[in-house]
Amino acid sequence: VDAKACKCTAYSRRAMLRASLLLLSARSAYAQPLAGDKCTFDATAGEPFEFGATFDVSASNKQTWVAQAVILKQYNEALNDDGEVIGWQENVVYADPEMKIVFYPTTGTAEEPFEAVHDCGAGVIEQDRETCQDVAEGSTITIPPTTGAGATQPLCYNIKFATTKLTSVFHLVTTNVDSVAIFAEHDPTEFERGGIGGIHYLMDVDTSAMGDDAAFVALGAATPIEPVFQDGVDNAPEKEKPWGLAIGSRFLLNARPP
């Protein structure tokens, strides 16, 4: 079997699906622009996101988005106040210090509902970071429905990770939303530390009223929310990893909570 031909056929099928959905945009509550024209998108230059997937969030109205760091022992060539090289030091390092993300409610979790909001979601997340809404670690993101009373077009959020903590959390509110497509600038698995607790990037638990230690325990005991349909993004733009002042580094054990 010609793998290249198969890939082209799959891509063509998805392109045709998106084109068909755009033709129905005038009648679709999810494929139409709600606040400004964010639904016209040309993917030939590459998707503006590394990760796109649908999730079933019908089990509860509140969830937790999680990003985890590692401790790196890094060599710092900078000079201290005494004019000496700082040398080796331990730093909390995230795969990236921040990430653009869009939460777009859908009519379901299959491929078709994802494709119905693909261009709108891509149009929102491709905007410059400076125009996205900054969200500090520990803040709440409310995901309103895109139909009915109070319907609004989803926003581009720029979530910022806490550089002094091993675990950053963001509280999600999904009242009246049963399924959602998430478009992320980076693959969220890059921010999973694994190992202890096996904490996933999306957990079905409300930690908004908990302190860091209690939240870490609750996350470890909670049920992860896995993607149902995941977009096969293979042409996202390349990015540089901000590993900062690392010249030589090695991972240390992450045997403690945030």
Side-chain angles (χ1 to χ4, degrees):
V1 176
D2 189 332
K4 183 177 181 180
C6 290
K7 182 177 181 180
C8 291
T9 300
Y11 179 82
S12 299
R13 185 176 67 83
R14 294 183 58 209
M16 291 176 63
L17 175 59
R18 287 175 181 169
S20 299
L21 290 166
L22 285 175
L23 290 175
L24 297 173
S25 62
R27 298 191 297 272
S28 171
Y30 291 91
Q32 63 183 356
L34 297 174
D37 187 5
K38 298 291 187 181
C39 296
T40 302
F41 173 71
D42 181 4
T44 57
E47 300 277 23
F49 56 88
E50 287 187 3
F51 176 86
T54 59
F55 295 83
D56 183 346
V57 292
S58 61
S60 61
N61 292 327
K62 295 183 178 181
Q63 302 81 24
T64 302
W65 184 270
V66 185
Q68 294 183 295
V70 295
I71 298 176
L72 288 182
K73 189 171 184 179
Q74 302 176 309
Y75 191 80
N76 189 352
E77 285 188 326
L79 303 179
N80 59 24
D81 293 339
D82 297 326
E84 300 173 339
V85 174
I86 294 175
W88 290 98
Q89 60 187 52
E90 293 183 8
N91 299 296
V92 173
V93 179
Y94 284 85
D96 291 276
E98 57 190 356
M99 181 175 76
K100 292 192 296 181
I101 191 168
V102 173
F103 301 92
Y104 217 117
T106 61
T107 56
T109 56
E111 179 179 2
E112 288 77 8
F114 176 85
E115 297 297 350
V117 302
H118 171 276
D119 285 7
C120 289
V124 174
I125 199 172
E126 75 172 344
Q127 62 188 285
D128 293 338
R129 189 182 309 280
E130 292 71 21
T131 63
C132 297
Q133 181 176 317
D134 284 342
V135 181
E137 190 275 335
S139 298
T140 297
I141 297 175
T142 299
I143 306 171
T146 53
T147 58
T152 59
Q153 178 169 293
L155 299 175
C156 173
Y157 295 103
N158 184 48
I159 55 177
K160 304 175 79 70
F161 309 125
T163 57
T164 59
K165 298 169 61 176
L166 281 171
T167 301
S168 290
V169 298
F170 303 86
H171 310 296
L172 307 183
V173 177
T174 56
T175 304
N176 297 322
V177 172
D178 289 334
S179 53
V180 61
I182 298 179
F183 302 86
E185 180 182 13
H186 308 303
D187 188 334
T189 60
E190 296 178 17
F191 301 88
E192 290 183 345
R193 196 162 60 240
I196 300 173
I199 297 174
H200 188 49
Y201 55 82
L202 183 58
M203 301 297 288
D204 195 13
V205 62
D206 176 16
T207 60
S208 59
M210 302 179 186
D212 289 345
D213 291 343
F216 186 77
V217 173
L219 288 169
T223 301
I225 303 177
E226 300 288 354
V228 180
F229 169 78
Q230 187 164 336
D231 190 27
V233 180
D234 58 4
N235 61 344
E238 294 183 2
K239 68 180 187 300
E240 295 182 359
K241 289 289 186 181
W243 292 115
L245 42 80
I247 294 178
S249 61
R250 63 182 176 85
F251 285 95
L252 299 182
L253 293 177
N254 298 297
R256 52 177 179 269

